[in-house]
Short mmCIF file of all heavy atoms in Angstrom, two decimals:
data_model
loop_
_atom_site.label_atom_id
_atom_site.label_comp_id
_atom_site.label_asym_id
_atom_site.label_seq_id
_atom_site.Cartn_x
_atom_site.Cartn_y
_atom_site.Cartn_z
N SER I 205 -18.65 16.37 -3.21
CA SER I 205 -18.34 16.93 -4.47
C SER I 205 -16.95 16.47 -4.98
O SER I 205 -16.74 16.38 -6.21
CB SER I 205 -18.47 18.44 -4.46
OG SER I 205 -17.53 18.93 -3.54
N ALA I 206 -16.15 16.14 -4.02
CA ALA I 206 -14.78 15.75 -4.31
C ALA I 206 -14.18 15.00 -3.21
O ALA I 206 -14.58 15.25 -2.02
CB ALA I 206 -13.83 16.96 -4.71
N VAL I 207 -13.32 13.99 -3.53
CA VAL I 207 -12.60 13.31 -2.58
C VAL I 207 -11.10 13.47 -2.60
O VAL I 207 -10.59 13.23 -3.75
CB VAL I 207 -12.98 11.81 -2.48
CG1 VAL I 207 -12.23 11.16 -1.31
CG2 VAL I 207 -14.40 11.50 -2.39
N ARG I 208 -10.51 14.07 -1.64
CA ARG I 208 -9.02 14.41 -1.78
C ARG I 208 -8.25 13.68 -0.69
O ARG I 208 -8.83 13.28 0.35
CB ARG I 208 -8.83 15.91 -1.65
CG ARG I 208 -9.48 16.73 -2.68
CD ARG I 208 -9.28 18.20 -2.56
NE ARG I 208 -9.83 18.99 -3.73
CZ ARG I 208 -11.09 19.43 -3.75
NH1 ARG I 208 -11.83 19.27 -2.69
NH2 ARG I 208 -11.53 20.13 -4.74
N GLY I 209 -6.89 13.61 -0.89
CA GLY I 209 -5.97 13.13 0.17
C GLY I 209 -5.64 11.70 -0.05
O GLY I 209 -6.53 10.90 -0.42
N GLU I 210 -4.50 11.35 0.16
CA GLU I 210 -4.06 9.90 0.20
C GLU I 210 -4.77 9.24 1.24
O GLU I 210 -5.04 9.78 2.40
CB GLU I 210 -2.51 9.76 0.32
CG GLU I 210 -1.81 10.32 -0.73
CD GLU I 210 -2.05 9.62 -2.01
OE1 GLU I 210 -2.21 8.28 -2.01
OE2 GLU I 210 -1.94 10.22 -3.18
N MET I 211 -5.08 7.95 1.11
CA MET I 211 -6.06 7.30 2.02
C MET I 211 -5.37 5.83 2.36
O MET I 211 -4.71 5.17 1.70
CB MET I 211 -7.42 7.05 1.51
CG MET I 211 -8.01 8.35 1.13
SD MET I 211 -9.77 8.08 0.69
CE MET I 211 -10.07 9.75 0.04
N VAL I 212 -5.68 5.46 3.67
CA VAL I 212 -5.35 4.16 4.20
C VAL I 212 -6.70 3.35 4.39
O VAL I 212 -7.57 3.92 5.07
CB VAL I 212 -4.50 4.06 5.38
CG1 VAL I 212 -4.27 2.69 5.90
CG2 VAL I 212 -3.31 4.92 5.21
N ILE I 213 -6.79 2.20 3.80
CA ILE I 213 -8.11 1.44 4.09
C ILE I 213 -7.79 0.26 4.91
O ILE I 213 -6.77 -0.39 4.64
CB ILE I 213 -8.71 0.92 2.68
CG1 ILE I 213 -8.88 1.99 1.78
CG2 ILE I 213 -9.96 0.04 2.83
CD1 ILE I 213 -9.34 1.52 0.29
N LEU I 214 -8.56 0.02 5.94
CA LEU I 214 -8.31 -1.13 6.83
C LEU I 214 -9.56 -1.91 6.89
O LEU I 214 -10.78 -1.48 6.88
CB LEU I 214 -8.00 -0.69 8.20
CG LEU I 214 -6.74 0.37 8.32
CD1 LEU I 214 -7.29 1.83 8.57
CD2 LEU I 214 -5.91 -0.03 9.37
N VAL I 215 -9.45 -3.19 6.70
CA VAL I 215 -10.51 -4.19 6.78
C VAL I 215 -10.36 -5.13 7.90
O VAL I 215 -9.31 -5.81 7.94
CB VAL I 215 -10.65 -4.99 5.38
CG1 VAL I 215 -11.86 -5.93 5.33
CG2 VAL I 215 -10.56 -3.97 4.24
N ALA I 216 -11.37 -5.22 8.72
CA ALA I 216 -11.30 -6.12 9.91
C ALA I 216 -11.34 -7.52 9.56
O ALA I 216 -12.04 -7.95 8.60
CB ALA I 216 -12.34 -5.73 10.93
N PRO I 217 -10.70 -8.46 10.35
CA PRO I 217 -10.85 -9.89 10.10
C PRO I 217 -12.17 -10.41 10.60
O PRO I 217 -12.81 -9.65 11.39
CB PRO I 217 -9.59 -10.41 10.87
CG PRO I 217 -9.49 -9.48 12.00
CD PRO I 217 -9.74 -8.09 11.36
N GLY I 218 -12.56 -11.56 10.19
CA GLY I 218 -13.66 -12.19 10.92
C GLY I 218 -14.96 -11.84 10.29
O GLY I 218 -16.05 -12.18 10.77
N GLY I 219 -14.88 -11.11 9.12
CA GLY I 219 -16.18 -11.00 8.36
C GLY I 219 -16.77 -12.30 7.87
O GLY I 219 -16.04 -13.27 7.61
N LYS I 220 -18.11 -12.27 7.57
CA LYS I 220 -18.68 -13.58 7.16
C LYS I 220 -18.33 -13.86 5.75
O LYS I 220 -18.21 -12.92 4.85
CB LYS I 220 -20.25 -13.38 7.17
CG LYS I 220 -21.04 -14.60 6.78
CD LYS I 220 -22.56 -14.40 6.91
CE LYS I 220 -23.27 -15.46 6.41
NZ LYS I 220 -24.71 -15.22 6.42
N LEU I 221 -17.79 -15.01 5.52
CA LEU I 221 -17.33 -15.50 4.20
C LEU I 221 -18.43 -16.41 3.66
O LEU I 221 -18.99 -17.16 4.19
CB LEU I 221 -16.07 -16.16 4.28
CG LEU I 221 -14.90 -15.44 4.76
CD1 LEU I 221 -13.62 -16.33 4.88
CD2 LEU I 221 -14.55 -14.17 3.91
N SER I 222 -18.64 -16.17 2.29
CA SER I 222 -19.64 -17.05 1.66
C SER I 222 -18.91 -18.23 1.17
O SER I 222 -18.71 -18.45 -0.14
CB SER I 222 -20.17 -16.22 0.39
OG SER I 222 -19.19 -15.73 -0.45
N ASP I 223 -18.59 -19.21 2.05
CA ASP I 223 -17.83 -20.41 1.71
C ASP I 223 -18.68 -21.24 0.84
O ASP I 223 -19.78 -21.59 1.20
CB ASP I 223 -17.40 -21.17 2.91
CG ASP I 223 -16.32 -20.53 3.60
OD1 ASP I 223 -15.54 -19.80 3.16
OD2 ASP I 223 -16.41 -20.59 5.01
N ALA I 224 -18.25 -21.78 -0.25
CA ALA I 224 -19.03 -22.50 -1.26
C ALA I 224 -18.65 -23.91 -1.04
O ALA I 224 -17.39 -24.39 -0.94
CB ALA I 224 -18.61 -22.10 -2.72
N PRO I 225 -19.62 -24.92 -1.03
CA PRO I 225 -19.30 -26.33 -0.99
C PRO I 225 -18.66 -26.78 -2.26
O PRO I 225 -18.86 -26.08 -3.24
CB PRO I 225 -20.67 -26.85 -0.63
CG PRO I 225 -21.67 -25.97 -1.21
CD PRO I 225 -21.12 -24.60 -0.91
N GLN I 226 -17.98 -27.96 -2.17
CA GLN I 226 -17.28 -28.37 -3.38
C GLN I 226 -18.21 -28.64 -4.54
O GLN I 226 -17.93 -28.50 -5.67
CB GLN I 226 -16.57 -29.74 -3.09
CG GLN I 226 -15.76 -30.23 -4.22
CD GLN I 226 -14.69 -31.13 -3.74
OE1 GLN I 226 -14.12 -30.99 -2.62
NE2 GLN I 226 -14.13 -31.97 -4.57
N GLY I 227 -19.55 -29.01 -4.38
CA GLY I 227 -20.35 -29.24 -5.39
C GLY I 227 -20.79 -28.00 -6.25
O GLY I 227 -21.39 -28.22 -7.24
N SER I 228 -20.44 -26.89 -5.64
CA SER I 228 -20.91 -25.61 -6.32
C SER I 228 -19.83 -24.91 -7.12
O SER I 228 -19.83 -23.70 -7.21
CB SER I 228 -21.53 -24.65 -5.37
OG SER I 228 -20.60 -24.21 -4.41
N LEU I 229 -18.69 -25.68 -7.61
CA LEU I 229 -17.67 -25.15 -8.27
C LEU I 229 -18.18 -24.21 -9.49
O LEU I 229 -17.69 -23.07 -9.58
CB LEU I 229 -16.80 -26.23 -8.87
CG LEU I 229 -15.61 -25.79 -9.75
CD1 LEU I 229 -14.75 -24.94 -9.06
CD2 LEU I 229 -14.93 -27.07 -10.29
N PRO I 230 -19.16 -24.65 -10.46
CA PRO I 230 -19.58 -23.80 -11.41
C PRO I 230 -20.16 -22.49 -10.92
O PRO I 230 -19.98 -21.46 -11.51
CB PRO I 230 -20.63 -24.68 -12.11
CG PRO I 230 -20.27 -26.13 -11.85
CD PRO I 230 -19.73 -26.11 -10.34
N ASP I 231 -20.90 -22.59 -9.85
CA ASP I 231 -21.62 -21.36 -9.32
C ASP I 231 -20.53 -20.37 -8.81
O ASP I 231 -20.68 -19.20 -9.06
CB ASP I 231 -22.58 -21.68 -8.14
CG ASP I 231 -23.88 -22.50 -8.60
OD1 ASP I 231 -24.16 -22.37 -9.83
OD2 ASP I 231 -24.42 -23.13 -7.82
N ARG I 232 -19.52 -20.93 -8.15
CA ARG I 232 -18.51 -20.11 -7.62
C ARG I 232 -17.71 -19.34 -8.70
O ARG I 232 -17.39 -18.16 -8.69
CB ARG I 232 -17.64 -20.88 -6.63
CG ARG I 232 -16.43 -20.01 -6.10
CD ARG I 232 -16.91 -18.97 -5.21
NE ARG I 232 -16.02 -18.12 -4.55
CZ ARG I 232 -16.04 -16.80 -4.36
NH1 ARG I 232 -17.25 -16.15 -4.78
NH2 ARG I 232 -15.06 -16.09 -3.91
N VAL I 233 -17.37 -20.21 -9.87
CA VAL I 233 -16.82 -19.53 -10.91
C VAL I 233 -17.55 -18.41 -11.57
O VAL I 233 -17.06 -17.37 -11.96
CB VAL I 233 -16.36 -20.63 -12.03
CG1 VAL I 233 -15.83 -19.99 -13.24
CG2 VAL I 233 -15.32 -21.70 -11.43
N ARG I 234 -18.77 -18.72 -11.75
CA ARG I 234 -19.72 -17.60 -12.31
C ARG I 234 -19.82 -16.45 -11.41
O ARG I 234 -19.76 -15.27 -11.93
CB ARG I 234 -21.10 -18.27 -12.54
CG ARG I 234 -21.29 -19.22 -13.77
CD ARG I 234 -22.71 -19.46 -14.09
NE ARG I 234 -23.28 -20.27 -12.99
CZ ARG I 234 -23.35 -21.63 -13.12
NH1 ARG I 234 -22.84 -22.21 -14.12
NH2 ARG I 234 -23.99 -22.31 -12.05
N GLU I 235 -19.84 -16.65 -10.15
CA GLU I 235 -19.82 -15.57 -9.20
C GLU I 235 -18.66 -14.70 -9.35
O GLU I 235 -18.73 -13.36 -9.35
CB GLU I 235 -19.96 -16.08 -7.71
CG GLU I 235 -19.98 -15.04 -6.76
CD GLU I 235 -19.84 -15.62 -5.26
OE1 GLU I 235 -20.22 -16.87 -5.08
OE2 GLU I 235 -19.54 -14.93 -4.26
#
Side-chain angles (χ1 to χ4, degrees):
S205 59
V207 181
R208 297 184 177 89
E210 295 294 325
M211 302 186 190
V212 182
I213 305 173
L214 305 104
V215 183
K220 184 179 179 181
L221 299 178
S222 55
D223 293 326
Q226 183 157 333
S228 65
L229 173 65
D231 291 339
R232 182 60 181 143
V233 170
R234 282 193 292 270
E235 178 185 341

